Amino acid sequence: MATATAPDDALRQAERAYRDGQFYEAEVLYHQLLGDLPQDSHLFLEALRGRALALHGLGRFHDAEQQLRRILLACLHEPKGDRTVDALGHLAAAVVAQERFIEAEALARDAVRRGESALGQRHEATLSALIALGRVLAHTAPAESEAWIRETREVIARALGRSHPVTWSAQHLLTATLRALGRWDEAEQAADQLIVMRERHQSAGHPDTLRARCDRAVILHAAGKQDQASAAADGALEA
């Protein structure tokens, strides 16, 4: 039985910090690990991806973009591999967060095309790329894309299950789309479902759960439910 190496242990520690929502700690751990690993290590690209996701969680979207572009450069020999599709999808998410919508849509569509042709429609990297595309469409054409976003959410839930992080991302996307359309009752219901999902599988204090609670407070405020909005905001702030 093989024993874990120090880099293996360090990678698991960083991954655990990221899963627990400790994005700052995770970013530091991944950064330290990358400094210790040779670039030809089998762990290097995993650490690079992890650091990119931690940076995204911290709202450092430009820095996340740079890490993801490094992955793509390293994967030029496998243009349709799962690492490439995964990096393209996350890159599209980082770019749309910087409001470069045309570029983000091109990246997301490229990721979806490669994923569907090489990995299959039910592969996690392909489904994550669909979420990235949905994020663009939710900004640029929410009314026209709402039905597609709903269908995509159900496709992802059937493929990966209700307890999978990509499914939660799909629910968050639907909530954001309904909010953009001003359909407050539906948005509130979608937000409630998302909070239940995240609290059950991530914890009440996870940053993603708290963000969902803050989004719900904003939705209630926009719907004119000021007392409920104030209570929801106070609860999120206290947490």
Side-chain angles (χ1 to χ4, degrees), residues 66-141:
Q66 300 312 306
Q67 305 305 303
L68 291 161
R69 291 193 184 279
R70 289 178 65 187
I71 295 174
L72 290 174
L73 283 174
C75 294
L76 286 175
H77 63 288
E78 47 178 37
K80 292 187 178 182
D82 56 350
R83 286 190 191 273
T84 298
V85 174
D86 178 79
L88 277 172
H90 286 297
L91 178 59
V95 171
V96 77
Q98 298 173 72
E99 299 186 353
R100 287 153 43 201
F101 299 124
I102 295 175
E103 180 183 357
E105 182 172 354
L107 288 165
R109 290 192 183 280
D110 188 21
V112 171
R113 177 181 57 79
R114 296 188 198 208
E116 289 182 342
S117 65
L119 306 176
Q121 294 180 338
R122 296 172 62 88
H123 193 282
E124 181 178 335
T126 306
L127 297 172
S128 294
L130 285 172
I131 292 293
L133 177 58
R135 286 193 177 109
V136 180
L137 299 177
H139 281 281
T140 58

Side-chain angles (χ1 to χ4, degrees), residues 221-238:
H221 174 75
K225 301 177 180 180
Q226 304 305 335
D227 290 343
Q228 293 180 51
S230 179
D234 287 344
L237 181 60
E238 181 179 355

Side-chain angles (χ1 to χ4, degrees), residues 49-61:
R49 177 185 184 272
R51 185 174 184 227
L53 297 185
L55 288 165
H56 193 108
L58 290 168
R60 294 170 56 184
F61 305 121

Side-chain angles (χ1 to χ4, degrees), residues 41-55:
S41 167
H42 69 286
L43 299 178
F44 189 83
L45 291 182
E46 289 184 50
L48 205 58
R49 177 185 184 272
R51 185 174 184 227
L53 297 185
L55 288 165

Side-chain angles (χ1 to χ4, degrees), residues 50-219:
R51 185 174 184 227
L53 297 185
L55 288 165
H56 193 108
L58 290 168
R60 294 170 56 184
F61 305 121
H62 175 73
D63 293 335
E65 176 185 348
Q66 300 312 306
Q67 305 305 303
L68 291 161
R69 291 193 184 279
R70 289 178 65 187
I71 295 174
L72 290 174
L73 283 174
C75 294
L76 286 175
H77 63 288
E78 47 178 37
K80 292 187 178 182
D82 56 350
R83 286 190 191 273
T84 298
V85 174
D86 178 79
L88 277 172
H90 286 297
L91 178 59
V95 171
V96 77
Q98 298 173 72
E99 299 186 353
R100 287 153 43 201
F101 299 124
I102 295 175
E103 180 183 357
E105 182 172 354
L107 288 165
R109 290 192 183 280
D110 188 21
V112 171
R113 177 181 57 79
R114 296 188 198 208
E116 289 182 342
S117 65
L119 306 176
Q121 294 180 338
R122 296 172 62 88
H123 193 282
E124 181 178 335
T126 306
L127 297 172
S128 294
L130 285 172
I131 292 293
L133 177 58
R135 286 193 177 109
V136 180
L137 299 177
H139 281 281
T140 58
E144 293 82 355
S145 62
E146 184 217 342
W148 181 87
I149 288 170
R150 285 187 183 276
E151 181 182 352
T152 299
R153 181 194 59 171
E154 292 308 308
V155 168
I156 292 170
R158 287 195 298 270
L160 301 178
R162 299 283 175 183
S163 62
H164 196 283
V166 178
T167 304
W168 311 333
S169 295
Q171 183 69 19
H172 178 84
L173 175 59
L174 177 61
T175 303
T177 303
L178 294 169
R179 175 181 163 186
L181 293 172
R183 287 163 48 186
W184 309 122
D185 289 343
E186 293 174 81
E188 180 185 349
Q189 183 180 16
D192 287 340
Q193 292 170 353
L194 178 60
I195 291 167
V196 170
M197 287 179 182
R198 292 203 180 279
E199 285 184 342
R200 180 180 300 153
H201 298 291
Q202 290 183 295
S203 82
H206 192 284
D208 289 341
T209 306
L210 295 175
R211 180 176 62 167
R213 290 178 63 180
C214 291
D215 288 346
R216 181 177 181 273
V218 172
I219 291 166

